[in-house]
Amino acid sequence: MTGKIEMSKSLAIIPVRTGSKRLPGKNMQNFFGKPMFVHTIDHAKSSGLFDEIHVSTESEEVARICEGEGVKPLFLRPNDLATDTATLQSVCEYVISNYELQDSYFDAFCMLWPTAPLRLVQDITASFSLLSDDIEAVVSVTDYDLPVFCAQRIDASSKLEPLFKDMLRLPSHDLPKVVCDSGNLCWVKTEAFKKHRTWLPPKLAGYHVPRTRSVDIDTAEDWLYAEFLYQRNIVGKGGE
């Protein structure tokens, strides 16, 4: 790998829509004294890396909260990009194109999931440092909750079929290290995003985040677990 490259301008994109179904209004719910998504705004501001912090939302209420935090969105997201079927790719394309219409260009952007209030500022800065001439994007990853090579398919008659037949009984030290996207953050070079039309382009690196900081809140159970971890690991240690 060649050396780290210098990014002259960086954009934070925080996607905050209000139509969650499994945990209604989760981004707006109070998480330790503030709407959950505001923790992510705080992380972005404290990192000192961003020339612009954009909260992508269709909600006037969210925009008003952002204004109080000093990051009022320059534009709102259209309703068709705030549905369950809208992709993060399309949201990022919309944000970048609108900034470029205003003659604002960025070398890289970082998507910061608002449902990951357990991230640390150092996760943003350390993952950014992995971008290089040979790395187009960096995504946060974590370990699977259970050994992935133990996975089995179950049919209608309850019969099991191993998905990794040749690896099921291997000792753990002989198995390759595998990780999954943690739903925390992703840095992407803007030109690579445009070229490949994805925030996961071919030259992709992983930034490992422990499971204790990798809760992507989507359900009531996730929320309770995140509260427990935040109280123990962040509040209990004197703050973010």
Side-chain angles (χ1 to χ4, degrees):
M1 179 184 298
T2 58
K4 174 186 171 184
I5 62 172
E6 294 298 327
M7 292 293 179
S8 58
K9 289 195 71 175
S10 296
L11 168 70
I13 299 177
I14 305 173
V16 181
R17 71 183 187 95
T18 58
S20 174
K21 292 181 178 178
R22 283 194 280 185
L23 186 58
K26 63 182 178 182
N27 286 315
M28 300 288 286
Q29 288 189 29
N30 186 303
F31 190 86
F32 289 88
K34 62 188 75 173
M36 181 170 62
F37 78 92
V38 174
H39 289 272
T40 295
I41 292 175
D42 292 342
H43 300 158
K45 291 163 68 174
S46 297
S47 74
L49 288 175
F50 300 107
D51 299 275
E52 189 81 18
I53 297 171
H54 180 78
V55 176
S56 176
T57 184
E58 83 289 2
S59 167
E60 294 281 0
E61 183 181 3
V62 169
R64 284 193 294 270
I65 294 172
C66 291
E67 184 174 10
E69 298 295 324
V71 291
K72 181 181 180 180
L74 295 181
F75 47 87
L76 294 181
R77 188 196 303 191
N79 289 331
D80 65 320
L81 290 181
T83 65
D84 290 338
T85 57
T87 65
L88 283 174
Q89 174 191 320
S90 61
V91 170
C92 291
E93 287 175 340
Y94 180 80
V95 170
I96 291 169
S97 64
N98 270 271
Y99 270 104
E100 292 184 349
L101 287 173
Q102 302 178 51
D103 292 324
S104 291
Y105 299 87
F106 300 93
D107 298 284
F109 66 92
C110 183
M111 272 197 299
L112 295 167
W113 277 258
T115 49
L118 301 178
R119 90 168 57 74
L120 301 179
V121 174
Q122 70 189 47
D123 294 325
I124 300 175
T125 56
S127 56
F128 171 76
S129 70
L130 296 179
L131 287 174
S132 72
D133 292 335
D134 292 332
I135 298 298
E136 297 175 321
V138 179
V139 65
S140 62
V141 296
T142 196
D143 302 317
Y144 281 90
D145 290 336
L146 295 171
V148 68
F149 295 110
C150 293
Q152 300 182 67
R153 182 185 293 110
I154 186 168
D155 65 18
S157 62
S158 298
K159 290 182 179 179
L160 296 176
E161 178 187 358
L163 294 182
F164 305 96
K165 294 180 181 179
D166 296 334
M167 307 177 81
L168 181 62
R169 301 190 183 282
L170 290 178
S172 59
H173 58 77
D174 287 337
L175 296 173
K177 175 76 171 178
V178 293
V179 294
C180 58
D181 177 2
S182 69
N184 189 312
L185 62 84
C186 185
W187 278 99
V188 194
K189 293 181 184 178
T190 306
E191 288 306 311
F193 174 74
K194 290 180 178 179
K195 176 181 178 181
H196 299 288
R197 298 203 66 199
T198 177
W199 48 276
L200 298 172
K203 298 178 181 179
L204 179 67
Y207 170 75
H208 189 270
V209 179
R211 287 205 298 266
T212 52
R213 296 206 307 276
S214 295
V215 181
D216 180 14
I217 297 175
D218 197 37
T219 66
E221 290 77 14
D222 294 338
W223 185 281
L224 292 174
Y225 185 45
E227 282 186 322
F228 166 75
L229 291 173
Y230 192 92
Q231 179 68 48
R232 188 189 71 175
N233 298 332
I234 296 180
V235 176
K237 294 181 180 179
E240 295 179 326

